């Protein structure tokens, strides 16, 4: 099985955090977004990972090669993104027609069981029932559980089964044909080549699809959802040595503190994620993500995301910053 992870987007809704960092490398619960995704796949038989990169793609490639040197990785550049359909279509030359492919969007954090997937699993679309599916592609299924219709971002109700950005395709040859058909005929929806349209075309050509419900799903498209995802992921994290490492600090689990970080006279948690090589004193941190190398003093941080190597002094409240920002109200 091959895995395609599209991560070429600019992450506009996540600015200023994504001004210098691609969205997939944003820190969360002691890892990065892409790191959490790869952790879900480490026990699977993957012949090759294909990363579709674009915005700050060189940073993504450097990170993958440094942190995951043993995985078989290929990098495909989508320099002027025109949709998910285009991104997957650009990988066509690297897909064998009889080898299944698992597609996972690079800002999708999830809890799912892929252990039973194989070439005989058919085509499986992972879904989650939500109240307002208008921002997502949706799948309408018949009484037998087979997909009968796929629609990208319907403004009128079609189904509440939202596509969560995880697609297992065993009909790889048909996927390649449908994507080539869209692109060669310049068929776009809302100005982009949509993967949902290609899958719908496969349906019309006789391919069968089923759905599988995801256990947890976080589409990390905004700072608020990133913080929510951080809270959920930290529920599975417990560092038992924090009090011993930092005897003059108070901790309320769940929280995470990275290596080589110095804390003194601090109150940390709940739901605080602190990166590596930080120096923090006299500061309370709650429901926040503090990136590597930050320096904080005499502050109270709530509902905040700080970019790498940022400095905050004498501040109380919420902040979203990019890298190397300085906040010192005086």
């Amino acid at each position: 099985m091959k895995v395609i992870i599209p991560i070429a987007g600019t992450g506009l809704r996540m600015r200023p955090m994504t001004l210098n960092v691609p969205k997939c490398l944003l820190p969360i619960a002691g890892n990065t977004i892409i790191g959490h995704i790869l952790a879900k796949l480490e026990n699977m038989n993957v012949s090759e990972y294909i990363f579709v990169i674009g915005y700050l793609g060189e940073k993504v490639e450097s990170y993958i090669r440094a942190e995951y040197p043993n995985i078989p990785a290929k990098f495909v550049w989508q320099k002027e993104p025109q949709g998910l359909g285009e991104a997957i279509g650009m990988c066509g030359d690297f897909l064998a027609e009889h080898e299944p492919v698992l597609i996972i969007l690079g800002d999708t954090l999830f809890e799912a069981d892929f252990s039973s997937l194989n070439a005989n699993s058919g085509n499986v679309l992972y879904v989650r029932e939500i109240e307002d599916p208008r921002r997502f592609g949706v799948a309408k299924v018949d009484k037998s559980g087979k997909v009968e219709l796929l629609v990208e971002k319907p403004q009128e109700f079609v189904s509440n089964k939202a596509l969560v950005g995880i697609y297992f395709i065993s009909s790889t040859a048909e996927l390649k044909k449908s994507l080539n058909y869209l692109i060669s005929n310049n068929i776009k929806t809302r100005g982009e080549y949509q993967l949902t349209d290609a899958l719908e075309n496969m349906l019309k050509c006789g391919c069968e699809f089923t759905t599988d419900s995801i256990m947890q799903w976080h589409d990390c498209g905004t700072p608020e959802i990133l913080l929510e995802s951080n809270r959920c992921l930290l529920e599975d994290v417990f560092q038992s040595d924090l009090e011993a490492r930092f005897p003059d600090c108070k901790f309320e689990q769940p929280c995470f503190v990275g290596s080589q970080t110095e804390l003194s006279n601090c109150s940390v948690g709940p739901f605080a994620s602190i990166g590596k090589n930080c120096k923090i004193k006299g500061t309370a941190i709650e429901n926040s993500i503090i990136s590597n190398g930050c320096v904080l003093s005499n502050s109270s941080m709530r509902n905040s995301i700080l970019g790498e190597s940022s400095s905050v002094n004498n501040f109380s409240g919420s902040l979203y910053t990019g890298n190397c920002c300085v906040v010192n109200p005086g």
Side-chain angles (χ1 to χ4, degrees):
M1 177 179 68
K2 293 201 175 183
V3 173
I4 300 176
I5 304 180
I7 41 179
T10 57
L12 287 175
R13 292 184 297 162
M14 294 294 288
R15 289 189 174 179
M17 287 78 70
T18 52
L19 286 172
N20 308 105
V21 179
K23 182 166 63 172
C24 69
L25 296 188
L26 290 176
I28 178 171
N31 206 330
T32 60
I33 293 176
I34 191 66
H36 281 289
I37 293 173
L38 293 175
K40 298 296 183 184
L41 305 173
E42 60 185 10
N43 294 322
M44 298 184 65
N45 184 20
V46 178
S47 64
E48 187 174 50
Y49 292 84
I50 304 175
F51 299 92
V52 183
I53 57 177
Y55 176 70
L56 299 176
E58 66 284 350
K59 291 189 176 183
V60 177
E61 183 171 355
S62 295
Y63 172 86
I64 296 296
R65 295 198 185 282
E67 298 295 326
Y68 301 91
N70 297 321
I71 69 171
K74 188 181 297 297
F75 298 88
V76 175
W77 280 87
Q78 187 186 22
K79 295 185 177 180
E80 297 180 5
Q82 297 186 71
L84 181 57
E86 180 196 51
I88 306 305
M90 295 175 70
C91 303
D93 289 344
F94 310 113
L95 303 179
E97 293 190 350
H98 301 293
E99 183 179 17
V101 57
L102 179 64
I103 301 166
I104 302 177
L105 301 194
D107 57 0
T108 298
L109 295 175
F110 56 89
E111 187 65 40
D113 182 8
F114 297 141
S115 60
S116 62
L117 289 179
N118 55 58
N120 296 320
S121 299
N123 303 305
V124 183
L125 309 179
Y126 287 83
V127 299
R128 185 71 179 255
E129 293 188 0
I130 61 176
E131 291 184 5
D132 185 2
R134 288 177 293 179
R135 289 198 304 116
F136 306 94
V138 299
K140 183 179 180 181
V141 301
D142 61 20
K143 293 181 179 180
S144 68
K146 293 181 180 179
V147 176
E148 60 181 9
L149 181 65
L150 293 167
V151 182
E152 178 67 24
K153 298 179 181 177
Q155 297 308 295
E156 296 183 0
F157 183 81
V158 174
S159 167
N160 66 345
K161 293 182 181 294
L163 303 176
V164 302
I166 304 174
Y167 316 81
F168 180 79
I169 307 297
S170 59
S171 303
T172 307
E174 288 74 14
L175 173 66
K176 293 168 63 174
K177 290 177 184 177
S178 287
L179 289 168
N180 288 336
Y181 174 78
L182 288 185
I183 295 170
S184 62
N185 289 280
N186 197 33
I187 299 174
K188 297 181 179 180
T189 298
R190 295 179 178 83
E192 294 186 332
Y193 299 108
Q194 302 288 351
L195 177 59
T196 305
D197 291 341
L199 300 178
E200 172 63 16
N201 187 62
M202 291 173 64
L203 267 177
K204 293 177 179 177
C205 293
C207 292
E208 292 187 352
F209 290 83
T210 58
T211 63
D212 196 354
S213 294
I214 210 81
M215 289 175 270
Q216 288 187 22
W217 170 47
H218 300 283
D219 170 31
C220 295
T222 67
E224 295 79 10
I225 297 178
L226 188 67
L227 286 173
E228 178 185 341
S229 302
N230 184 63
R231 291 195 296 271
C232 291
L233 291 173
L234 283 176
E235 292 286 3
D236 296 324
V237 174
F238 183 79
Q239 291 180 302
S240 60
D241 64 340
L242 291 180
E243 286 80 3
R245 287 170 62 190
F246 311 105
D248 64 344
C249 296
K250 296 180 180 179
F251 296 91
E252 185 175 351
Q253 300 283 358
C255 53
F256 176 87
V257 181
S259 60
Q260 285 81 54
T261 281
E262 300 175 11
L263 301 179
S264 62
N265 192 28
C266 291
S267 174
V268 179
F271 307 115
S273 180
I274 301 174
K276 301 176 182 179
N277 301 306
C278 296
K279 294 183 178 181
I280 305 174
K281 63 180 181 179
T283 295
I285 303 171
E286 177 182 351
N287 192 43
S288 297
I289 299 172
I290 310 299
S291 299
N292 298 340
C294 287
V295 178
L296 287 75
S297 60
N298 305 319
S299 297
S300 179
M301 308 296 301
R302 301 178 303 278
N303 309 321
S304 298
I305 304 174
L306 300 187
E308 289 192 2
S309 302
S310 290
S311 176
V312 178
N313 182 44
N314 293 322
F315 176 86
S316 179
S318 300
L319 280 175
Y320 296 150
T321 78
N323 290 356
C324 303
C325 288
V326 177
V327 178
N328 187 8

